[in-house]
Amino acid sequence: MRRRISTFLTLAVLLFGSWSLAAPQPAAALDPFTGYLMAHFIGESARGEQIYLAHSRDGRNWTDLNGGGPVLLSTVGTQGVRDPALVRSPAGDRYWIIATDLRIASGTSWSDAANRGSRSLVVWESRDLANWSVPRLLNVAGGISGAGDAWAPEAIYNPATGDYVVYWATNSALNGVTKHRIWYVRTSDFRTVTAPQLYIDRGSGQGIIDTQIIEVANSLGGYRYYRASADGQITVEGSNTVLGSWTRIGDLQHLGISNGATGGNVVEGPMWAQTNGTNEWHLWLDQYATGRGYMPVRSTNLGSTQNFATRSDYSLGTTRKRHGSILNLTAAEESRVLAKWGPSAVLNRIQSYNFQTRYVRHSNFDIRIDASVSPVQDSQFRVVPGLANTSGYVSFESVNYPGYYLRHYNYDLVLAANDGSTTFAGDATFRQVAGLADSSWSSFQSYNYPTRYLRHYNYLLRVDPISTATERADATFRITG
């Protein structure tokens, strides 16, 4: 159960609007859905265990966002994440990504990860799906005696309690048996949680790691909620309450698909998604044993696994899609996501005025101006509203190191991860003014040291007072596409 235990994800596709606690009935739908967003990781490469996004118009054929590079990097815990889950608030005004705090690429063994790993999840928060907070750790398994890890988290809004149920797998001893079981906590803000409670235990020695719950608006198949779990099989269950009793519906043995108990196509990381505007559902399964990534299994009646069928008319884009989560997107959400990370997203370069073949770039996290930058992404930035002041000020976010910004440190320019502090925000914020050497170009005045400007010196970037003609030229740049 080595690699299989690495994936536990829950989609928490919260497709509905506000809930009434007095009468927990399915609420009115959000705006019509027009597309799909998948969050995933790509494997155990150097930066494979980070947050990647893909977009689809039809729910089967996927295009990598951000040019196939990561869109969020973890700078906390193990500095790697797997098994991301996308969560939307019932009102559609807030979003979270929660993920396993695990980086096998750092040299961690699966045994160490399972028995002496992180007991926290990594959390990002957003109000628009495009701009995300700095990552933070959420300790969910610390209250479990002998907990060795906290893997494959998922979350779903529970109208019966008016908050979110966060569930994940932890390896620990219980009744003399050490294995992975599913535990849960409740939270309203993904910052504070209740004490962990046991959620799913298959009995005997059978472990369970990957579980994902989806809600069905019209109780298709007889239940309001369905969950798929990797527990030796891919087991499907139904219930009318998130925290109530669940009924086993079946598994996918008839398709030659298992989680390892009977051989065949061994998969993990079940991931639900409804086809927009239809009663068609896909259960995506990560073919980790063969390294082929996700494949979809189709159903039009979740009340019986016998109608589930594999399909081959899909494509996954360039990157390998590993254990992740799919969110159905409204037109407004889709527009914001594509504007930030889609093929037509605006990516800028910063050209030197007096060395016009040279552009600002990062190299080993130091900042300089160079010609013929390779890869070109080292010289591409998103010019965003200033972190410390959004009125007339800007900050520069790296394209291939998302969440990292140009900031000065002891007056030297470096590329650094945003730590969320006011000091960092001030150091990474600049006022764009008319070029000191040519008013048709631009210069960038430091926000917290307003007598200093961004300039190059011996090709290295720093913030300095400017007085001479040479210094004015050094401090003049052009933002280009």
Side-chain angles (χ1 to χ4, degrees):
M1 223 200 279
R2 283 185 343 130
R3 208 149 296 170
R4 184 166 12 124
I5 57 182
S6 72
T7 60
F8 164 84
L9 92 112
T10 272
L11 211 193
V13 183
L14 300 171
L15 304 179
F16 310 106
S18 331
W19 292 95
S20 166
L21 296 183
Q25 300 298 318
L30 295 169
D31 292 341
F33 296 118
T34 59
Y36 310 80
L37 181 67
M38 182 194 299
H40 62 95
F41 76 105
I42 65 174
E44 289 83 30
S45 59
R47 289 209 297 166
E49 293 161 298
Q50 301 294 344
I51 303 298
Y52 291 75
L53 294 180
H55 170 258
S56 177
R57 296 283 188 191
D58 61 10
R60 299 191 321 277
N61 299 285
W62 297 89
T63 300
D64 297 308
L65 297 182
N66 201 34
V71 301
L72 295 172
L73 300 178
S74 176
T75 55
V76 296
T78 68
Q79 299 190 357
V81 288
R82 303 166 68 97
D83 324 321
L86 281 162
V87 186
R88 179 198 278 123
S89 68
D93 60 352
R94 189 160 298 194
Y95 311 84
W96 295 269
I97 292 176
I98 59 176
T100 304
D101 178 25
L102 174 60
R103 186 168 182 260
I104 293 296
S106 66
T108 300
S109 71
W110 283 108
S111 177
D112 280 343
N115 295 290
R116 293 169 290 278
S118 173
R119 294 180 291 181
S120 296
L121 309 178
V122 180
V123 180
W124 286 267
E125 187 171 345
S126 174
R127 289 187 177 274
D128 60 8
L129 274 182
N131 300 289
W132 292 87
S133 70
V134 298
R136 61 178 183 263
L137 292 175
L138 181 64
N139 187 333
V140 293
I144 301 173
S145 177
D149 56 13
W151 283 0
E154 299 291 341
I156 187 167
Y157 183 77
N158 184 15
T161 55
D163 55 15
Y164 300 88
V165 174
V166 179
Y167 53 104
W168 72 95
T170 281
N171 183 43
S172 64
L174 186 64
N175 299 324
V177 177
T178 299
K179 63 178 182 178
H180 278 92
R181 300 171 178 86
I182 305 300
W183 296 74
Y184 79 90
V185 295
R186 289 168 46 200
T187 184
S188 60
D189 57 8
F190 292 86
R191 292 179 179 273
T192 60
V193 298
T194 59
Q197 303 291 322
L198 185 63
Y199 192 28
I200 309 174
D201 187 350
R202 288 304 190 218
S204 67
Q206 178 62 56
I208 178 172
I209 293 184
D210 302 340
T211 292
Q212 186 185 81
I213 300 171
I214 197 69
E215 181 172 9
V216 178
N218 59 4
S219 297
L220 179 69
Y223 295 100
R224 180 172 177 175
Y225 300 100
Y226 291 87
R227 71 186 184 196
S229 301
D231 56 5
Q233 300 296 336
I234 297 298
T235 300
V236 178
E237 299 168 286
S239 179
N240 287 315
T241 57
V242 175
L243 295 177
S245 61
W246 288 76
T247 299
R248 190 181 194 277
I249 294 170
D251 57 42
L252 304 182
Q253 289 186 75
H254 68 287
L255 298 176
I257 294 172
S258 79
N259 185 232
T262 58
N265 191 358
V266 180
V267 301
E268 64 180 6
M271 177 174 69
W272 294 108
Q274 183 181 19
T275 302
N276 291 334
T278 75
N279 281 332
E280 176 186 72
W281 291 80
H282 288 102
L283 181 60
W284 291 81
L285 302 168
D286 182 359
Q287 303 170 96
Y288 76 95
T290 59
R292 290 178 292 180
Y294 270 113
M295 60 170 285
V297 176
R298 178 182 182 271
S299 174
T300 56
N301 181 1
L302 301 183
S304 171
T305 57
Q306 292 305 304
N307 79 94
F308 283 45
T310 58
R311 61 188 308 168
S312 58
D313 55 337
Y314 68 96
S315 63
L316 291 171
T318 302
T319 61
R320 185 161 59 109
K321 309 296 185 287
R322 298 293 317 279
H323 190 153
S325 175
I326 295 174
L327 192 68
N328 300 62
L329 297 176
T330 66
E333 291 169 337
E334 189 173 33
S335 176
R336 294 194 298 265
V337 167
L338 294 180
K340 181 71 175 286
W341 291 298
S344 59
V346 176
L347 306 180
N348 296 113
R349 303 179 79 195
I350 309 169
Q351 183 183 21
S352 167
Y353 171 75
N354 50 358
F355 292 91
Q356 294 189 15
T357 63
R358 293 178 178 260
Y359 293 81
V360 174
R361 58 88 55 90
H362 62 82
S363 177
N364 293 325
F365 301 106
D366 201 5
I367 307 301
R368 52 181 297 115
I369 57 170
D370 276 341
S372 304
V373 179
S374 180
V376 69
Q377 289 86 354
D378 288 353
S379 64
Q380 290 179 322
F381 300 90
R382 289 187 173 89
V383 182
V384 301
L387 297 181
N389 186 331
T390 60
S391 179
Y393 290 83
V394 297
S395 294
F396 300 95
E397 182 183 14
S398 170
V399 166
N400 54 358
Y401 281 83
Y404 285 64
Y405 292 80
L406 299 186
R407 62 91 54 104
H408 62 81
Y409 186 78
N410 289 334
Y411 306 130
D412 183 36
L413 257 288
V414 297
L415 186 71
N418 183 4
D419 62 11
S421 69
T422 55
T423 297
F424 185 98
D427 290 349
T429 299
F430 304 88
R431 186 162 71 97
Q432 186 172 0
V433 300
L436 298 180
D438 185 329
S439 61
S440 67
W441 289 56
S442 294
S443 292
F444 297 94
Q445 181 184 26
S446 169
Y447 170 78
N448 49 4
Y449 289 89
T451 63
R452 293 173 178 262
Y453 290 80
L454 190 65
R455 60 86 57 100
H456 63 82
Y457 182 79
N458 287 337
Y459 304 135
L460 297 176
L461 269 287
R462 46 184 297 112
V463 289
D464 278 342
I466 302 298
S467 58
T468 69
T470 297
E471 290 168 346
R472 287 193 291 273
D474 290 348
T476 301
F477 301 90
R478 173 184 287 150
I479 302 294
T480 68

